[in-house]
Amino acid sequence: MVGFVVAFSALFAAQLTFASPVRSRTPYQVKDVHNVPRGWRRVRRAPADHVIDLQIGVKQSNFAELEKNLYEVSDPDHHRYGKHLSADEVKELVKPTDETLDLVHEWLDANGVTPSGYSSAKDWIMVTLPLGDIERLLDTEYHVYEHKDGGVVARAPKWSLPLHLHDRIDTIQPTNSFFRARAQKFDHVEAPVYTDPHYTPPSNETLNAVCNVSSVTPECFQTLYSTKGYKTHACGKNKVGFNNYLGEHPIRSDAELFLAKYRPEAVSTAKDFPQITIADGPGDYALTPEELASATSKEANLDIQAIAGISWKTPIISYSTGGSPPFNPSTSTPDNTNEPYLVWVNWLLDQKSFPQVITTSYADDEQTVPESYARRVCQQFAQVGARGTSLLFSSGDSGVGPYGECISNDGKNTTQFLPEFPPSCPYVTAVGATKNFEPEVVAYRPAFVGPDGVAHGNYTSGGGFSNYFTAPAYQLEQASKYVKNLNGLYDGLYNKKGRGYPDISAQGLYFAYFWNGTEGVISGTSASCPLTGGILSLVNDALISTGKPPLGFLNPWLYSKGYKGLTDIVSGSAVGCGVDGFPAVEGWDPVTGLGTPIFPELVALAGGKLFY
Ligand SMILES: *[C@@H]1O[C@H](CO)[C@@H](O)[C@H](O)[C@H]1NC(C)=O
Ligand SMILES: *[C@@H]1O[C@H](CO)[C@@H](O)[C@H](O)[C@H]1NC(C)=O
Ligand SMILES: *[C@@H]1O[C@H](CO)[C@@H](O)[C@H](O)[C@H]1NC(C)=O
Ligand SMILES: *[C@@H]1O[C@H](CO)[C@@H](O)[C@H](O)[C@H]1NC(C)=O
Ligand SMILES: *[C@@H]1O[C@H](CO)[C@@H](O)[C@H](O)[C@H]1NC(C)=O
């Protein structure tokens, strides 16, 4: 059957090739336009000889079926719950049709272009070409753009394709994506004085003895979320991973100092965890003088320390993906940043197996990513979920949007809230942040200048509603109820039908951590995300060691069952854009999601067994 299809489409392609010369087969028409986001300035034409890697997102044959499979195996009330798909099953559903691949290849061939690589399902084709050639291929012009905060890229806001390829290719990048992944964190060398007038220390003496609001530690998390004493049993099978971008790589000596002080039994983790380098990402080495000067790897250090502090003995894997080099203002050629998630996720999907939980603490304004591209990257995440892995993303640190930046990018300059991508993707789990203990409330810390003269911006747990993705079925009831209860508050500033996020939350203010051999504290959904990942990896341990499948894509379970094992956060709001922002309320809200983990209850709800 398969052979027949191939033969038939090869014949089809050959006939077409003879029938008419490719370039004139169909005329070029604009395929995609994306406005240059605020903050970017066009500087000059890009050098024609500058070589970049172009990623062509070829139409997947049956994403609807993949999505259906994802939801079935992730829905606790479905008979296929937990029956995650194999790599080959996923590939089979998303690989483009032979006809589509033939037409795309024919177009490349006719223009003398040979692919330099493919994703495992061939739903992405890579070509490596000088910009001059790409300009002819896409009938466009690349310019160099500079960001006000630094960073130079070559981009083309508008690009074209022959008409007959418009429904064969979803997206091509880098063309018009101005996405800049940002780590979601705020750090301090010295612990700042905690100044929340509403704070009262926990009345529970056990909690009060281990939780210091100015410097929260693994012992506090273990007590607060009740993982203390749990002994892992599935270490041969269960793993947890985390992503590093922007030149970040975790430093072993700092992880060792941290664990020796705060989780001594886990100290060997610092030496053991593998660091995987993808697409020329940084490797496993001590900080260089340049990295020290630019404060690199604070995020990566936070991530490994937050996970290792809670998830021991679960093996941890670090992924450092290149492709988004740090800004270098002196180079004459642009840094052609591939959007790094795509490079990573396509690499991952090519692996036979990978960790059951993977966390990412980087995100950016959704509107800087063209919708067509955001959709395709999101569809790659769906494939990871279908294979049984929970992908966690931090929800952002600016509440409903960064103060002074809440303006639309559609050319109309409308005031609006700014959702973040990837947390806005419905196939991932977005993690917000809380602070304090009894009760936990929305993490919020207004801007201030520290005693060292360093200015720190406003920080609030990020949340909101996507402008690209509609609310998926799993949260439709909770999200519509929330919107209805707002009673018109913030109407016109957000998409009432959008995918609401975050889905879950955990502590995210003043984490104790080490960098450059020194202890400091660091805050952000960057902290809550790896912490949550560590806790969920323990839930997976309890499942896997009783012969059950891991949680996989979490959201359908979280919204229908898992929420009963969370502490609902009902105080605080997503302060941002100069307003109070969405309030935390009873039930789901777009600032703390469904709440913070209660480990033993999550295990019980998922059908696992606790081992002490
Ligand atoms: C205090 O907190 C600990 C840890 O969460 C818990 O085991 C204990 O039951 C709590 N005590 C009271 C009196 O609530
Ligand atoms: C809480 O942490 C801060 C910062 O590390 C420290 O200065 C303070 O002494 C701690 N408080 C207690 C009661 O341990
Ligand atoms: C929107 O803002 C940009 C940058 O501030 C400005 O150049 C442009 O003219 C504005 N457009 C409208 C329609 O107001
Ligand atoms: C890193 O640590 C060294 C040794 O303690 C110190 O001299 C240096 O100032 C630190 N660098 C930064 C950027 O903190
Ligand atoms: C923080 O937000 C407030 C309004 O909520 C604003 O007045 C202030 O300028 C912001 N600070 C910074 C550094 O963005």
Side-chain angles (χ1 to χ4, degrees):
M1 188 61 196
V2 171
F4 172 75
V5 173
V6 172
F8 172 77
S9 59
L11 180 68
F12 174 70
Q15 280 172 346
L16 290 177
T17 310
F18 286 121
S20 61
V22 157
R23 278 172 198 269
S24 61
R25 160 112 64 98
T26 58
Y28 270 75
Q29 262 184 34
V30 174
K31 164 73 179 163
D32 200 21
V33 184
H34 187 71
N35 290 336
V36 178
R38 200 163 276 90
W40 289 96
R41 191 173 61 91
R42 194 167 104 170
V43 194
R44 59 180 176 272
R45 279 279 273 147
D49 59 353
H50 188 79
V51 175
I52 67 172
D53 290 325
L54 203 64
Q55 317 253 3
I56 303 174
V58 184
K59 184 160 204 74
Q60 298 172 331
S61 57
N62 208 346
F63 180 75
E65 191 61 27
L66 186 273
E67 188 193 42
K68 184 165 166 273
N69 275 266
L70 170 70
Y71 282 133
E72 287 180 3
V73 301
S74 311
D75 171 3
D77 294 325
H78 198 279
H79 66 91
R80 289 183 66 203
Y81 182 64
K83 299 196 167 66
H84 301 122
L85 278 65
S86 70
D88 285 341
E89 285 167 338
V90 166
K91 244 185 252 181
E92 201 54 38
L93 290 171
V94 297
K95 71 173 192 203
T97 64
D98 292 331
E99 188 187 332
T100 293
L101 277 177
D102 286 346
L103 286 170
V104 175
H105 280 136
E106 183 206 41
W107 166 64
L108 292 173
D109 268 5
N111 287 280
V113 178
T114 311
S116 54
Y118 293 90
S119 64
S120 55
K122 291 204 169 169
D123 55 339
W124 289 88
I125 299 179
M126 271 66 82
V127 302
T128 305
L129 285 178
L131 283 177
D133 290 354
I134 294 173
E135 289 185 340
R136 279 188 292 279
L137 197 64
L138 303 181
D139 191 22
T140 185
E141 281 187 0
Y142 276 79
H143 283 84
V144 174
Y145 292 84
E146 206 173 277
H147 194 269
K148 64 176 167 57
D149 300 333
V152 177
V153 296
R155 290 292 184 271
K158 181 165 98 174
W159 55 277
S160 299
L161 280 178
L163 201 52
H164 74 284
L165 294 178
H166 276 221
D167 57 1
R168 307 285 176 172
I169 290 175
D170 292 330
T171 184
I172 299 183
Q173 296 295 340
T175 50
N176 52 9
S177 176
F178 286 82
F179 183 87
R180 321 163 78 224
R182 285 186 299 207
Q184 310 291 325
K185 61 155 175 51
F186 296 86
D187 65 274
H188 309 261
V189 174
E190 277 173 50
V193 181
Y194 190 70
T195 54
D196 181 346
H198 303 297
Y199 178 71
T200 45
S203 62
N204 180 311
E205 277 172 24
T206 315
L207 210 52
N208 196 34
V210 293
C211 287
N212 176 346
V213 72
S214 300
S215 172
V216 286
T217 63
E219 200 175 5
C220 174
F221 305 141
Q222 287 176 287
T223 308
L224 186 62
Y225 299 134
S226 304
T227 64
K228 206 175 177 74
Y230 178 78
K231 293 212 166 27
T232 53
H233 281 75
C235 296
K237 293 178 187 152
N238 190 34
K239 292 189 174 68
V240 53
F242 67 101
N243 272 318
N244 311 292
Y245 297 111
L246 309 176
E248 297 263 327
H249 55 107
I251 308 303
R252 292 190 191 276
S253 55
D254 289 324
E256 193 170 346
L257 287 170
F258 176 85
L259 292 169
K261 179 163 179 186
Y262 292 116
R263 192 83 203 256
E265 72 267 42
V267 75
S268 62
T269 304
K271 289 204 169 68
D272 294 346
F273 74 92
Q275 296 196 29
I276 295 175
T277 293
I278 300 159
D280 298 324
D284 182 1
Y285 54 85
L287 288 171
T288 64
E290 294 73 32
E291 288 174 337
L292 273 175
S294 60
T296 303
S297 292
K298 290 186 169 180
E299 176 67 59
N301 274 8
L302 165 63
D303 293 353
I304 179 65
Q305 294 170 27
I307 296 175
I310 196 93
S311 72
W312 188 73
K313 299 176 175 178
T314 307
I316 306 173
I317 300 183
S318 161
Y319 300 103
S320 294
T321 305
S324 195
F327 174 53
N328 182 352
S330 63
T331 64
S332 56
T333 47
D335 297 326
N336 278 290
T337 52
N338 281 322
E339 186 275 314
Y341 304 126
L342 181 66
V343 174
W344 171 75
V345 73
N346 280 343
W347 177 89
L348 191 81
L349 286 166
D350 215 2
Q351 312 301 307
K352 279 219 161 53
S353 69
F354 37 74
Q356 294 86 342
V357 173
I358 304 178
T359 75
T360 305
S361 294
Y362 303 76
D364 194 13
D365 300 353
E366 183 181 71
Q367 64 173 355
T368 64
V369 199
E371 182 170 347
S372 59
Y373 191 45
R375 285 192 180 284
R376 276 304 299 268
V377 173
C378 185
Q379 289 181 199
Q380 301 306 103
F381 295 146
Q383 297 179 43
V384 179
R387 286 175 63 180
T389 283
S390 314
L391 286 180
L392 269 49
F393 282 83
S394 52
S395 71
D397 290 349
S398 306
V400 289
Y403 181 75
E405 293 175 26
C406 301
I407 303 169
S408 74
N409 188 41
D410 55 2
K412 296 182 195 145
N413 297 352
T414 321
T415 300
Q416 63 169 37
F417 292 162
L418 290 189
E420 300 238 323
F421 180 81
S424 67
C425 165
Y427 313 126
V428 307
T429 298
V431 185
T434 60
K435 65 171 187 178
N436 301 357
F437 314 107
E438 249 187 23
E440 280 186 88
V441 302
V442 173
Y444 169 57
R445 201 246 22 235
F448 75 105
V449 178
D452 49 2
V454 177
H456 300 274
N458 289 303
Y459 161 46
T460 329
S461 175
F465 296 84
S466 173
N467 287 316
Y468 291 169
F469 302 99
T470 52
Y474 61 72
Q475 68 164 193
L476 198 53
E477 196 184 318
Q478 288 97 327
S480 342
K481 181 173 159 217
Y482 183 87
V483 167
K484 186 161 165 272
N485 287 343
L486 281 178
N487 259 320
L489 182 67
Y490 304 132
D491 268 12
L493 294 173
Y494 72 100
N495 175 15
K496 291 186 170 185
K497 296 200 152 58
R499 135 77 163 153
Y501 71 92
D503 304 294
I504 188 171
S505 52
Q507 290 277 309
L509 186 71
Y510 301 146
F511 275 44
Y513 91 124
F514 279 78
W515 180 79
N516 186 31
T518 308
E519 182 165 4
V521 294
I522 188 162
S523 305
T525 50
S526 268
S528 54
C529 185
L531 171 60
T532 304
I535 294 166
L536 292 171
S537 78
L538 294 180
V539 178
N540 277 340
D541 183 274
L543 290 171
I544 292 170
S545 52
T546 39
K548 297 210 159 167
L551 291 165
F553 172 47
L554 289 162
N555 297 3
W557 177 73
L558 278 180
Y559 283 82
S560 65
K561 271 209 167 94
Y563 73 92
K564 294 177 201 148
L566 302 174
T567 302
D568 191 6
I569 307 303
V570 297
S571 177
S573 66
V575 181
C577 298
V579 296
D580 286 345
F582 298 121
V585 297
E586 220 171 272
W588 178 83
D589 53 69
V591 55
T592 57
L594 296 159
T596 60
I598 310 165
F599 171 69
E601 295 189 19
L602 288 173
V603 170
L605 287 162
K609 255 214 188 92
L610 289 167
F611 296 95
Y612 291 99

